[in-house]
Amino acid sequence: MSAIIFAGPSLPPGERPTIPGIEWRPPVLRGDLYLSALRRPELIGVVDGYFETVPTVWHKEILWAMSQGIHVYGAGSIGALRAAELAEFGMIGIGDVYRRFRTGELTDDEEIAVLHGPAEVEYLMLTEAMVNVRATVNSALKSGIVQLDVASALIGIAKALFYKDRTYDVILKTAAGRGLAPCALDRFAAWLPCGQVDQKRMDAQAMLRAMTGHLDGGVVPLKVSYQLAKTFAWEEARRLIERTSGRTQDSTS
């Protein structure tokens, strides 16, 4: 085993190529990355992860994995967010979502959140991530499908929605209720099936390519510039993770 990748709705099973040496795991939650690092893979990739109702992947377990010489990548969803937060420590971020968090253009965790189904239905997305809505509307603007005022209104409406309610149907209905021109909304709706942009998936695919290239080129263990503090809280957390390694089913990532 050379690499472990945690993914869900951003890169569902049907979209994952079979690559020797890469093991796919469900969306990460707290403790999963630490337990995976104990198996000493050369690389770990994080795309999707659970949050809100269960503890999300902990910064310290990522730092610990890197201190063990493991290269950790992040993209698309919670992986992009963690990579932006830990880039200075050596975590490798890939893709547009990562870059936007890293530069401070995006700061809200809710930008990456979606509601989705379980593994049995390949993590089918039930709502739209705000980062994907932004990419889609910006693509429509560049293609001349919508004008700047309509694009700004659509993004504002989408951002104001709770992430569990954010769908294009709701966005368009809300826009119509606010008096946006029906012809402009109809044109955008007709374009959506072929024009919709899944930025999270694109970034996850880019991370996979980067990790595959890293493996093909030979992996030298990571050397970090920090020393991980072995605090009482961290040692207790490690023991707790090792004792309670069962997963909790959830549907938010």
Side-chain angles (χ1 to χ4, degrees):
M1 179 182 64
S2 297
I4 292 171
I5 300 177
F6 295 93
S10 298
L11 197 58
E15 300 291 328
R16 302 171 190 170
T18 300
I19 301 173
I22 292 182
E23 179 181 336
W24 295 93
R25 298 281 183 83
V28 69
L29 55 80
R30 183 175 296 177
D32 286 351
L33 194 140
Y34 169 73
L35 292 171
S36 294
L38 291 176
R39 298 176 61 185
R40 294 298 189 269
E42 294 174 294
L43 313 178
I44 294 177
V46 180
V47 180
D48 295 303
Y50 292 118
F51 67 97
E52 191 179 63
T53 58
V54 294
T56 192
V57 60
W58 201 10
H59 297 80
K60 194 139 188 177
E61 59 187 301
I62 297 173
L63 292 169
W64 183 84
M66 293 192 296
S67 75
Q68 304 304 300
I70 300 168
H71 298 265
V72 182
Y73 284 74
S77 192
I78 189 67
L81 179 60
R82 287 290 181 267
E85 294 163 339
L86 298 176
E88 293 180 5
F89 297 93
M91 188 171 177
I92 303 168
I94 301 290
D96 184 71
V97 178
Y98 158 73
R99 285 190 292 270
R100 287 171 181 257
F101 275 112
R102 179 67 177 150
T103 60
E105 182 180 346
L106 298 178
T107 58
D108 188 355
D109 295 9
E110 186 266 353
E111 288 275 340
I112 57 175
V114 296
L115 190 65
H116 63 81
E120 290 76 13
V121 293
E122 298 209 340
Y123 306 103
L124 178 68
M125 286 198 297
L126 304 175
T127 60
E128 298 293 334
M130 190 62 211
V131 290
N132 285 352
V133 175
R134 290 184 188 277
T136 297
V137 173
N138 285 334
S139 179
L141 177 62
K142 291 177 182 178
S143 301
I145 302 301
V146 297
Q147 298 302 307
L148 182 59
D149 59 337
V150 175
S152 298
L154 290 172
I155 289 175
I157 288 167
K159 184 61 178 174
L161 292 169
F162 182 45
Y163 79 90
K164 291 184 179 180
D165 299 324
R166 188 181 292 126
T167 66
Y168 284 110
D169 282 346
V170 173
I171 293 168
L172 287 166
K173 287 177 182 177
T174 304
R178 294 188 182 178
L180 268 70
C183 59
L185 298 180
D186 289 345
R187 186 164 57 249
F188 179 69
W191 171 86
L192 267 178
C194 62
Q196 189 172 334
V197 179
D198 191 338
Q199 190 64 55
K200 292 173 71 173
R201 185 163 302 177
M202 292 165 59
D203 288 1
Q205 291 168 337
M207 188 193 79
L208 177 60
R209 291 193 296 272
M211 292 179 68
T212 302
H214 195 163
L215 291 171
D216 290 344
V219 181
V220 176
L222 179 66
K223 292 184 179 180
V224 299
S225 59
Y226 58 87
Q227 184 173 357
L228 195 72
K230 295 182 179 180
T231 63
F232 174 78
W234 169 239
E235 295 304 320
E236 283 296 299
R238 288 175 62 178
R239 284 190 281 270
L240 178 63
I241 290 168
E242 291 169 11
R243 286 199 307 267
T244 60
S245 58
R247 295 185 59 84
T248 302
Q249 187 73 351
D250 191 70
S251 59
T252 302
S253 66

